Amino acid sequence: MYVIERRQMLLETARRVGRVDVAQTSKELGLAPETIRRDLKDLERQGLLRRVYGGAVAVERLSFESALAVRSTRHQAQKSRIAAAAVTYVKSAESVYIDEGYLPSLVGEHLPPDRPLTVVTPSLATAKTLVERPELTVLIVGGRVRAKTLGAVDLWAVSMLETLVLDLAFIGANGISVERGVTVPDSAVAAVKAMAMRVSRRRILIADSSKYGVDSFVQFARMKDFERFITDDGLPAEQVVHLHENGIDVTRA
């Protein structure tokens, strides 16, 4: 394989899968990791990729946000495991915030069926799914509804959250890294997430491993602001060690 062909393959992989992992790619191609890193560096110089811890991501992932219907088709098995693991941390909580997005909605679906809980969410989709469960009291955060995610944002949403005191918040994100924190593409979404975290006694970050090492546009939290990061077993062991070294507890489902 010529250099230009290899770099085209790396770029196509990043766009299709979301990221390129140096260790995995070097093993698959039978090349030294340094060779792959040089390729990624060159692609970054051309503005086609952004290098992150352990690899690189397509620049498209840094600025654009997929619709809810698209998210529901990606990493389904991993997200289901993450959601099942997440609800084991509900413990004695009586009020739970469920963020907008497909993975948080799965957390809502996995809530114990015999446990009275008050669920607060900005997501129309999540509220619709949970409202028929008699053991749950569902409060929906009001505001402008974004078509892509069916989540409420802007002043009304933030103002309503500001009046609450919640036991636990499950928060999702588009990008996660130790260096740049927890990020999303939209400042209005970031404001709602930040307020939900502010009014919650406990905060748990949930995201599949493809989000780790990715930087989106607006930071709304640092990883240390969460008691735990729950992800899937696709997160490499060396990255788990890196997180632990920075004081962040990780659960791989």
Side-chain angles (χ1 to χ4, degrees):
M1 183 182 292
Y2 294 109
V3 172
I4 192 171
E5 294 175 318
R6 187 175 67 242
R7 291 178 179 175
Q8 181 63 34
M9 184 208 73
L10 294 173
L11 180 59
E12 290 174 355
T13 298
R15 286 173 171 169
R16 184 181 70 255
V17 179
R19 66 178 292 137
V20 176
D21 184 88
V22 169
Q24 179 181 341
T25 305
S26 63
K27 183 178 180 180
E28 290 175 352
L29 298 181
L31 298 171
E34 291 74 17
T35 301
I36 305 301
R37 291 191 186 97
R38 282 197 299 271
D39 288 341
L40 298 180
K41 184 177 181 180
D42 183 74
L43 290 167
E44 183 180 48
R45 190 181 301 115
Q46 297 176 54
L48 299 172
L49 293 180
R50 172 76 64 83
R51 286 189 296 165
V52 297
Y53 185 85
V57 297
V59 293
E60 291 89 344
R61 290 179 61 85
L62 305 179
S63 303
F64 297 100
E65 182 179 20
S66 59
L68 191 62
V70 174
R71 296 187 204 182
S72 67
T73 65
R74 296 175 177 170
H75 312 293
Q76 290 177 310
Q78 295 95 321
K79 289 177 179 179
S80 182
R81 296 199 305 270
I82 293 168
V87 298
T88 65
Y89 291 94
V90 172
K91 298 179 180 177
S92 62
E94 296 180 356
S95 55
V96 177
Y97 178 83
I98 304 291
D99 205 359
E100 67 168 49
Y102 179 64
L103 176 53
S105 75
L106 290 181
V107 173
E109 292 177 15
H110 279 79
L111 289 172
D114 55 352
R115 169 87 182 278
L117 283 171
T118 296
V119 176
V120 178
T121 182
S123 168
L124 294 182
T126 297
K128 182 180 178 181
T129 299
L130 299 182
V131 71
E132 295 182 1
R133 291 176 52 172
E135 76 281 6
L136 300 180
T137 299
V138 180
L139 301 180
I140 189 161
V141 174
R144 175 175 63 89
V145 178
R146 302 173 69 237
K148 278 188 176 182
T149 64
L150 298 181
V153 294
D154 289 342
L155 180 61
W156 286 345
V158 173
S159 297
M160 178 178 174
L161 281 171
E162 193 173 17
T163 66
L164 304 179
V165 179
L166 302 174
D167 292 328
L168 172 63
F170 290 108
I171 304 290
N174 296 76
I176 299 168
S177 70
V178 173
E179 294 75 19
R180 293 181 176 85
V182 189
T183 53
V184 290
D186 190 298
S187 60
V189 175
V192 174
K193 290 177 185 283
M195 182 56 70
M197 293 185 62
R198 176 180 164 187
V199 301
S200 298
R201 295 186 177 95
R202 298 169 53 211
R203 284 93 59 183
I204 291 178
L205 176 62
I206 51 173
D208 66 79
S209 58
S210 70
K211 304 293 178 62
Y212 185 74
V214 175
D215 302 319
S216 195
F217 184 55
V218 184
Q219 182 193 87
F220 66 88
R222 302 167 301 169
M223 293 201 71
K224 289 183 179 179
D225 295 330
F226 297 90
E227 72 172 53
R228 181 166 297 274
F229 171 35
I230 303 179
T231 187
D232 58 79
D233 57 8
L235 186 68
E238 62 269 21
Q239 295 183 7
V240 176
V241 171
H242 179 62
L243 287 165
H244 281 310
E245 289 174 346
N246 283 272
I248 300 155
D249 290 329
V250 180
T251 296
R252 290 195 299 174

